[in-house]
Amino acid sequence: MKRKNISTGTTWEPIIGYSRAVRVGDTIHVSGTTATGADGKLVGVGDAYAQTVQTLRNIESALRMAGARLEDVVRTRMFVANIAEWEKVGRAHGEFFGKIRPATAMVQVGGMVSPEMLVEIEAEAIVTSRAPSKPRAVKRETRARARRKL
């Protein structure tokens, strides 16, 4: 199967030697992701809910680059600096995944790269076949041909 590495261009990717996401076949693994904004600065300093929302937006963006969407996510792993913040993190996760309901875990960790980081999340997705809109038109065209033959 072909492997596709997805990079978001952060300075850490080449230094540490990782990709934001890796797609092999229909499976996508999204690396531990934090609340880093487009400008490279941490979003929501001191706010676990805001950091979780930004982190999940970053994951959603990585999934799009890999040809997937949130609905394809089958598993998340949430790492939090303070488990007492679980309700804030969980509420944000639920806002993104409440109907999708992937398997998940939330654990407290001893620390992250920056002490301002309160949340890091990993995700795994499996892209299922989606019926594109064009085959419907082809189907109609095929039916029209069949009628002409009659």
Side-chain angles (χ1 to χ4, degrees), residues 33 43 50 52-62 64 96:
T33 303
V43 172
T52 304
V53 168
Q54 181 63 43
T55 297
L56 292 169
R57 286 180 182 151
N58 292 347
I59 287 171
E60 184 175 29
S61 175
R64 271 197 310 271
F96 282 77

Side-chain angles (χ1 to χ4, degrees), residues 45-115:
V45 174
D47 185 341
Y49 173 83
Q51 284 194 24
T52 304
V53 168
Q54 181 63 43
T55 297
L56 292 169
R57 286 180 182 151
N58 292 347
I59 287 171
E60 184 175 29
S61 175
L63 288 168
R64 271 197 310 271
M65 287 189 282
R69 55 190 186 178
L70 287 177
E71 290 82 357
D72 298 315
V73 172
V74 296
R75 179 158 184 75
T76 59
R77 291 177 188 88
M78 297 176 275
F79 306 98
V80 297
N82 181 0
I83 200 68
E85 302 278 352
W86 74 268
E87 288 180 272
K88 294 174 186 176
V89 174
R91 180 167 41 95
H93 187 275
E95 289 171 7
F96 282 77
F97 292 111
K99 292 182 181 177
I100 302 163
R101 299 188 61 177
T104 194
M106 183 188 306
V107 296
Q108 179 172 313
V109 295
M112 298 189 201
V113 173
S114 166

Side-chain angles (χ1 to χ4, degrees), residues 100-149:
I100 302 163
R101 299 188 61 177
T104 194
M106 183 188 306
V107 296
Q108 179 172 313
V109 295
M112 298 189 201
V113 173
S114 166
E116 293 179 323
M117 291 177 179
L118 304 175
V119 179
E120 184 169 325
I121 302 174
E122 296 177 350
E124 295 172 15
I126 300 173
V127 179
T128 56
S129 297
R130 296 188 218 354
S133 57
K134 287 190 178 185
R136 288 184 196 139
V138 171
K139 212 178 217 181
R140 285 185 204 131
E141 183 182 336
T142 304
R143 277 190 240 142
R145 281 188 206 149
R147 276 187 237 135
R148 281 188 288 232
K149 288 181 182 178

